[in-house]
Amino acid sequence: QVQLVESGGGLVQPGGSLRLSCAASRSITSFFAMGWYRQAPGKQRELVAVIHIGGTNYADSVKGRFIISRDNDKNTVFLQMNSLKPEDTAVYFCSGSGTSRTYWGQGTQVTVSS
């Protein structure tokens, strides 16, 4: 059973920064893509950023503010979030896409508020 564990969420003021981490229970090189999604209250889960062998992709709403990266030695994926806005408030989920299924973490809450 693969486990993905997110951490790093919290309360931050508008304009602030947070760094989310996603630790995997197996080598992240075994996934062909790893990503971050978010879900705000009353809204559908949406893709924030993904990292794969071809590079990275971002939602338009976070381009230039968020950076996804990975540390293969630590089996960890990161999401650096800068210039945070109230509309970034959501539960952030880590995902790992394997050959037969996608795995999900339990989520970490990010709240952007003054």
Side-chain angles (χ1 to χ4, degrees):
Q1 182 72 12
V2 177
Q3 289 187 323
L4 301 176
V5 180
E6 302 97 333
S7 61
L11 173 64
V12 63
Q13 292 186 340
S17 297
L18 280 176
R19 188 193 196 203
L20 305 184
S21 299
C22 171
S25 61
R26 78 180 196 199
S27 172
I28 60 173
T29 59
S30 66
F31 299 106
F32 65 80
M34 295 203 71
W36 287 95
Y37 289 72
R38 66 187 181 187
Q39 187 167 17
K43 294 187 177 181
Q44 290 188 332
R45 190 173 297 189
E46 63 175 359
L47 174 67
V48 175
V50 62
I51 187 166
H52 46 78
I53 194 169
T56 57
N57 296 95
Y58 297 90
D60 288 343
S61 59
V62 307
K63 281 181 181 177
R65 299 189 297 123
F66 291 10
I67 300 172
I68 188 171
S69 61
R70 60 196 293 166
D71 185 332
N72 292 340
D73 291 337
K74 296 182 179 179
N75 293 326
T76 302
V77 177
F78 303 97
L79 185 68
Q80 178 66 43
M81 305 186 295
N82 302 317
S83 302
L84 282 161
K85 304 175 181 180
E87 51 263 45
D88 294 319
T89 295
V91 178
Y92 283 71
F93 297 90
C94 174
S95 72
S97 297
T99 54
S100 59
R101 59 165 289 183
T102 295
Y103 299 88
W104 295 92
Q106 82 289 349
T108 185
Q109 176 70 47
V110 171
T111 302
V112 185
S113 175
S114 56

